[in-house]
Amino acid sequence: MENSSPFNLSNILYYIGGFMVLFSYSFWLTTHWEELSNLIRILLCVVSIIVLGLTGDFLKRNTEFEKAGRLLIFAAAGIIPLLIYSIEKMINIWPGTDTEEIAYFLFLGTIKGAWVLLDLISLIILILVFRLVKDHLLTILVSNFAYFLILDLSGLLFGIKKGTEAHYLLWLFGGIIIATWGIYYYYQKNTIFARWPSIFGLLMIFSATSWLAIVGKNEFGYALLGLIISTAMILVSIGIESKIYLTFGSIGIFWFVDYLVFSIFFDSFGFTLTTLAIGLATISLGMMFQKNKNNLFPFLQKTY
C-alpha cells in the first residue's frame, strides 16, 4: 500500500508526472496544435483520454498505485475541454478563425462570449466524470471551468473586459461560489473533497479583493470589504473546523493592516505602536484561551 504521507517521494513524483502530462498538451497548444487537421486533433484527444483514463482506472483499483492512477485520470479529464474545442471546430460552430484572437491557446488569458459553449459543455462533462470517479483532484478542474463560465458568460451578456473593476467583482463572486462549495463538503465532513474548492475559491477571493483595492474607484472601501470577508473566513473556520479558512482569513486581516500602514498611516509612529499592541494582545488572548479552554467558550474547543 502507498505511504499515507503526502510528502513521500512516490507521491511527489506522481503529482509532478500528472501535471507534466497536462503541461505537455499546453505546450503543444502554443506551438503546433493549430497546424493539425480537426480530425487528427480529435483522434489525438480521444486516444489520449482513453489510454490515460483506462490506465489510471486500472492503477486506481490496485491499492499499491492508487494515487498514480488518480493522477492519470486527472490528466485524462484535463484533455476533455481540448476535445470539445476540436469537435466545435470540425462541425463549424466555433466562432471566428485561428488567425483571429479566438484560438484555443488564448483561452486562459481572455474573456470572450465565444468561450461560453466550451465552458458549459466542459463543466457538465467534468461534473459527470467527478460524480462517476469521485476523485477529489477533479474538483480542481470543475472549479476552474465554473470560474471560466462565470467570466465568459458575463462577457457575453454584459461585455465585461479583462482587468476592469467589473472583472474583479466577478472574480470575487466566482470565488465566493466555489468556496461555498468547499464549505458544503466541510459540513458533510468530507474534508478531502472540500480541500481544493476551498483553496481555489479562497485564492480567487483574496486575489480579487487585492486587485479591486488597486484598480477600483473606492480603494479604502474595497480594502474594508477584504477585511470583512477575511473576518467572515475566520468565523466560518470555527464552524467547519478548517485551518485553510483560518489561514486565509488571518492573511486577509494582515493585508488590511498592511494597507493601513503603507497607504494611510505611513508616517504615523503611533499607529505602529497601536498595531503592535493589538498583535501582542491577540497572542495573549490566544494563550489565555489555551490555558482556560475548559472554562472559556466551550463551544470553540473542537476547533483547537
Side-chain angles (χ1 to χ4, degrees):
M1 182 175 292
E2 292 177 301
N3 192 326
S4 58
S5 171
F7 297 107
N8 68 77
L9 181 59
S10 296
N11 288 346
I12 292 173
L13 293 176
Y14 292 157
Y15 277 89
I16 292 175
F19 281 96
M20 282 296 291
V21 171
L22 282 182
F23 172 78
S24 67
Y25 278 85
S26 300
F27 177 76
W28 187 262
L29 283 175
T30 60
T31 53
H32 304 292
W33 185 258
E34 303 295 346
E35 299 174 4
L36 301 176
S37 67
N38 292 323
L39 180 60
I40 296 298
R41 295 175 187 175
I42 293 174
L43 289 176
L44 180 61
C45 289
V46 170
V47 171
S48 299
I49 291 172
I50 291 175
V51 171
L52 292 174
L54 291 179
T55 304
D57 182 67
F58 172 77
L59 292 175
K60 186 179 178 182
R61 296 175 187 276
N62 185 335
T63 55
E64 186 177 0
F65 303 111
E66 179 184 355
K67 289 183 180 178
R70 291 197 289 105
L71 264 298
L72 288 178
I73 292 174
F74 170 78
I79 303 172
I80 291 174
L82 187 55
L83 172 62
I84 296 169
Y85 159 75
S86 301
I87 294 175
E88 288 185 13
K89 288 281 293 183
M90 171 170 273
I91 61 179
N92 295 320
I93 63 173
W94 184 260
T97 64
D98 291 340
T99 58
E100 301 173 358
E101 291 187 3
I102 206 69
Y104 186 87
F105 71 87
L106 296 168
F107 177 67
L108 296 179
T110 56
I111 297 176
K112 287 183 177 290
W115 305 125
V116 170
L117 187 60
L118 172 63
D119 296 332
L120 182 60
I121 297 175
S122 298
L123 180 60
I124 292 173
I125 294 178
L126 288 171
I127 290 175
L128 292 175
V129 173
F130 168 66
R131 292 183 64 85
L132 177 65
V133 179
K134 296 196 179 299
D135 190 284
H136 71 277
L137 285 174
L138 295 177
T139 59
I140 299 175
L141 297 175
V142 173
S143 300
N144 208 28
F145 275 88
Y147 161 65
F148 288 150
L149 179 60
I150 291 172
L151 287 186
D152 293 329
L153 186 60
S154 301
L156 175 66
L157 297 177
F158 309 111
I160 293 175
K161 302 297 183 181
K162 182 181 179 181
T164 61
E165 186 174 355
H167 168 213
Y168 294 118
L169 284 171
L170 279 171
W171 198 340
L172 176 61
F173 176 69
I176 292 174
I177 291 178
I178 295 171
T180 301
W181 184 31
I183 292 172
Y184 165 78
Y185 279 125
Y186 272 116
Y187 274 112
Q188 296 293 317
K189 304 300 181 182
N190 195 335
T191 56
I192 295 179
F193 281 8
R195 182 185 308 154
W196 287 113
S198 296
I199 292 174
F200 195 97
L202 292 174
L203 282 173
M204 288 175 61
I205 292 172
F206 189 78
S207 300
T209 52
S210 300
W211 277 108
L212 282 169
I214 295 173
V215 305
K217 297 179 181 179
N218 188 346
E219 179 181 340
F220 180 77
Y222 284 126
L224 185 60
L225 176 63
L227 173 65
I228 294 172
I229 293 175
S230 298
T231 304
M233 289 180 191
I234 294 178
L235 295 176
V236 168
S237 73
I238 296 173
I240 63 177
E241 306 176 42
S242 170
K243 294 181 180 179
I244 294 175
Y245 284 82
L246 178 62
T247 301
F248 274 90
S250 301
I251 292 174
I253 291 177
F254 172 79
W255 177 88
F256 179 76
V257 173
D258 183 74
Y259 163 78
L260 292 178
V261 169
F262 290 98
S263 298
I264 299 179
F265 302 104
F266 184 73
D267 295 323
S268 175
F269 183 67
F271 180 78
T272 302
L273 291 178
T274 301
T275 53
L276 174 62
I278 293 174
L280 293 175
T282 303
I283 294 175
S284 300
L285 182 63
M287 295 171 63
M288 182 184 70
F289 173 78
Q290 183 69 27
K291 184 177 180 179
N292 302 282
K293 61 182 179 180
N294 292 328
N295 300 318
L296 295 172
F297 312 112
F299 65 95
L300 295 180
Q301 291 181 31
K302 61 180 181 180
T303 307
Y304 301 91

mmCIF file of all heavy atoms in Angstrom, residues 135 155 233 259 274 291:
data_model
loop_
_atom_site.group_PDB
_atom_site.id
_atom_site.type_symbol
_atom_site.label_atom_id
_atom_site.label_comp_id
_atom_site.label_asym_id
_atom_site.label_seq_id
_atom_site.Cartn_x
_atom_site.Cartn_y
_atom_site.Cartn_z
ATOM 1 N N ASP A 135 -13.184 11.471 -7.427
ATOM 2 C CA ASP A 135 -11.800 11.742 -7.064
ATOM 3 C C ASP A 135 -11.652 13.226 -6.744
ATOM 4 O O ASP A 135 -12.067 14.072 -7.536
ATOM 5 C CB ASP A 135 -10.857 11.357 -8.206
ATOM 6 C CG ASP A 135 -9.415 11.397 -7.775
ATOM 7 O OD1 ASP A 135 -8.870 12.513 -7.662
ATOM 8 O OD2 ASP A 135 -8.816 10.335 -7.546
ATOM 9 N N GLY A 155 -19.033 38.189 -19.954
ATOM 10 C CA GLY A 155 -18.518 38.890 -21.122
ATOM 11 C C GLY A 155 -19.503 38.873 -22.263
ATOM 12 O O GLY A 155 -19.648 39.860 -22.997
ATOM 13 N N MET A 233 -14.187 34.644 7.027
ATOM 14 C CA MET A 233 -13.454 33.393 6.837
ATOM 15 C C MET A 233 -13.072 32.775 8.171
ATOM 16 O O MET A 233 -13.190 31.556 8.380
ATOM 17 C CB MET A 233 -12.180 33.646 6.013
ATOM 18 C CG MET A 233 -12.397 33.965 4.563
ATOM 19 S SD MET A 233 -10.800 34.235 3.748
ATOM 20 C CE MET A 233 -11.334 34.897 2.174
ATOM 21 N N TYR A 259 -2.155 47.454 4.504
ATOM 22 C CA TYR A 259 -2.685 48.532 3.660
ATOM 23 C C TYR A 259 -2.803 49.829 4.457
ATOM 24 O O TYR A 259 -2.431 50.910 3.975
ATOM 25 C CB TYR A 259 -4.055 48.127 3.113
ATOM 26 C CG TYR A 259 -4.872 49.280 2.573
ATOM 27 C CD1 TYR A 259 -4.596 49.816 1.315
ATOM 28 C CD2 TYR A 259 -5.904 49.843 3.327
ATOM 29 C CE1 TYR A 259 -5.332 50.888 0.825
ATOM 30 C CE2 TYR A 259 -6.636 50.906 2.848
ATOM 31 C CZ TYR A 259 -6.347 51.426 1.591
ATOM 32 O OH TYR A 259 -7.061 52.491 1.118
ATOM 33 N N THR A 274 0.290 51.045 18.057
ATOM 34 C CA THR A 274 -1.061 50.527 18.305
ATOM 35 C C THR A 274 -1.233 49.131 17.719
ATOM 36 O O THR A 274 -1.743 48.222 18.384
ATOM 37 C CB THR A 274 -2.111 51.475 17.703
ATOM 38 O OG1 THR A 274 -1.966 52.768 18.286
ATOM 39 C CG2 THR A 274 -3.520 50.949 17.966
ATOM 40 N N LYS A 291 -4.998 28.172 27.935
ATOM 41 C CA LYS A 291 -4.838 27.786 29.341
ATOM 42 C C LYS A 291 -6.174 27.491 30.003
ATOM 43 O O LYS A 291 -6.263 26.630 30.889
ATOM 44 C CB LYS A 291 -4.103 28.897 30.091
ATOM 45 C CG LYS A 291 -3.797 28.553 31.545
ATOM 46 C CD LYS A 291 -3.009 29.679 32.205
ATOM 47 C CE LYS A 291 -2.706 29.339 33.648
ATOM 48 N NZ LYS A 291 -1.924 30.420 34.316
#
